[in-house]
Amino acid sequence: QVRVAESGGGLVQAGGSLRLSCTASGISLRLADIGWYREAPGHQRELVARISSSGATNYVDTVKGRFTISRDNAKNTVYLQMNSAKLEDTAVYYCNVQLFQSYWGQGTQVTVSS
């Protein structure tokens, strides 16, 4: 059974940094395409960053230059490094794993305060 879990969320001041982690059991993340999504109150869930199995990355324009997605295959973990946090980054962040099927974690709350 595949399980995906996010961690690392919390409260951060505007301008600060936070690193989110996505770990999984029952699946090798290095074989999968991984996406970090976020969902803010009153907004649809949006794709923030994505890393393919080949290592190609892409980002939504609002986080380019501030967020970095990366993977550590030895730890079977994908990270989302969030720098220069903004109030509008406040949301629940979800990890999505795509390998033949789509798997979601439960999400981790990120709150950016002024």
Side-chain angles (χ1 to χ4, degrees):
Q1 186 177 5
V2 175
R3 295 187 184 275
V4 177
E6 303 91 343
S7 62
L11 180 65
V12 61
Q13 284 195 323
S17 297
L18 208 58
R19 189 177 76 164
L20 307 183
S21 299
C22 172
T23 58
S25 59
I27 193 169
S28 177
L29 294 184
R30 68 179 178 88
L31 301 176
D33 294 335
I34 312 297
W36 279 101
Y37 290 73
R38 65 186 179 189
E39 188 171 338
H43 295 265
Q44 288 188 331
R45 190 173 298 190
E46 67 168 347
L47 177 63
V48 175
R50 179 179 178 273
I51 186 166
S52 72
S53 57
S54 64
T57 59
N58 53 66
Y59 302 87
V60 67
D61 286 346
T62 52
V63 307
K64 282 181 180 177
R66 299 190 298 120
F67 290 10
T68 302
I69 188 170
S70 63
R71 63 167 81 228
D72 185 332
N73 292 333
K75 295 183 178 180
N76 205 34
T77 301
V78 172
Y79 301 102
L80 184 68
Q81 178 68 42
M82 304 171 57
N83 296 330
S84 303
K86 299 180 179 181
L87 297 178
E88 52 264 40
D89 295 326
T90 294
V92 178
Y93 284 72
Y94 298 90
C95 178
N96 175 257
V97 178
Q98 291 273 1
L99 183 62
F100 307 117
Q101 296 184 55
S102 180
Y103 305 94
W104 290 91
Q106 293 299 306
T108 185
Q109 175 71 48
V110 172
T111 303
V112 183
S113 64
S114 58

